[in-house]
Amino acid sequence: MKTSYSQSKYRARRYRGERTLGGCLVYAGDDLLDKHLMVHTVSPGGFDWGPDASPERACQLAIALLASAFGVEVAIDDYHLFAENFVKRELSGTEWSIRLQDFRDLSFREQYLHRDYPENTAPQPDDVDIETIDLDSITYADELALVRRYDAVLWKKGNTRGNLHRLQEIRLGNRDPAAESLPEQWLSTHGRLTSAAAKRAIAEEFETMGEFAAWACYATTLRTVDHVGESTEERIRSLRSTLIRWFGGEEYIPRYDDEQEMLVSG
C-alpha cells in the first residue's frame, strides 16, 4: 500500500525503554519514539510494557514499534498480538533494549503470533464508507480498511490517499471520469499499447475516456478502428480491470451500442 507515511524517518538501529518518575520513555535511536497516533490511536497518553501494563498503553507501544520497523500494514494487523504476547510478556523491568536486526528476526514474530490475543480495535472494511468518511482526518488504519473494501475499484497508481479522494469525488458525483479526455499517453502508460499507429487512431476515434472505455469493454469487435489488429484487440480487452479502477466501478462506464455505432448511457 502506497501512503504518504514515511517509515524511514522513524526507523532506528536500536529501540529502548526506560521507566522513570516522569513516565515510560521509549527511544528510537537517540530520539523519543513517536506514538504513531496517525497510524491508529489506542492510547494517546503514552506507552507502557510488562505484565502490569494497561492493554491500551501496551497496544500503542506495539503500534509504534511495528510501524517503524515493519510498516503501517503490519502494525495495524498485528499490534494486538504483539502487545499481548510480546510487549506485556517479554518486555519487563525498568529498562529494555532491542536491536532492529534482532527485532526483525523471524523469532520475534514467532513469540507473538498464533497465541491468545485481545480484540483488534482497528477499523475493518465493513466499518468504513467512502461516501461518508472525512478523508482529511482519517488514520492509516482507516485508510487500510478503505483500501481493502474498495480494492477492486480503487485506482492504484500514485498515492493511496489521493486515489481515495478521487474515488470519493466519483461516488459523490463531483467528478465524471467519462468526460475526461483520452490522451495517447494514457494508452501508452496504463494501456501498455506499443503500436504508435494504433494509439494515434484510437485517440483520433475517441475524444473522451467514456467513449474509449465503452468501446473497449463492450463493443462486439474492436477491429473496426484502423490499425487495431488481433494482438492490439487482445491488449485492449485486457484493460477491463484497469478501466473499472479508473472509473471507480463498472457502473460508471457508459454502454456501447454496436448497431447504432454510438454511445448510450447504461
Side-chain angles (χ1 to χ4, degrees), residues 214 253-257 260 262-266:
I253 300 177
R255 296 298 184 264
Y256 189 79
D257 189 330
Q260 297 183 36
M262 63 180 294
L263 296 169
V264 296
S265 297

Side-chain angles (χ1 to χ4, degrees), residues 55-82:
E56 294 78 15
R57 288 176 178 263
C59 282
Q60 200 65 55
L61 177 54
I63 290 167
L65 289 172
L66 291 175
S68 61
F70 296 102
V72 170
E73 192 164 349
V74 171
I76 293 169
D77 287 342
D78 291 351
Y79 79 86
H80 57 313
L81 296 170
F82 191 66

Side-chain angles (χ1 to χ4, degrees), residues 4 31 34 44 60 63 70 73 83 97-98 110 114-115 117 120 124 148-149 173 177 183 189 191 207 238-239 260 264:
S4 58
D31 300 318
D34 186 89
Q60 200 65 55
I63 290 167
F70 296 102
E73 192 164 349
S97 178
I98 304 175
E110 291 175 343
H114 313 300
R115 291 185 181 178
Y117 54 90
N120 185 325
Q124 300 303 304
R148 288 173 171 172
R149 175 169 181 172
T189 304
E207 294 184 358
S238 71
L239 287 176
Q260 297 183 36
V264 296

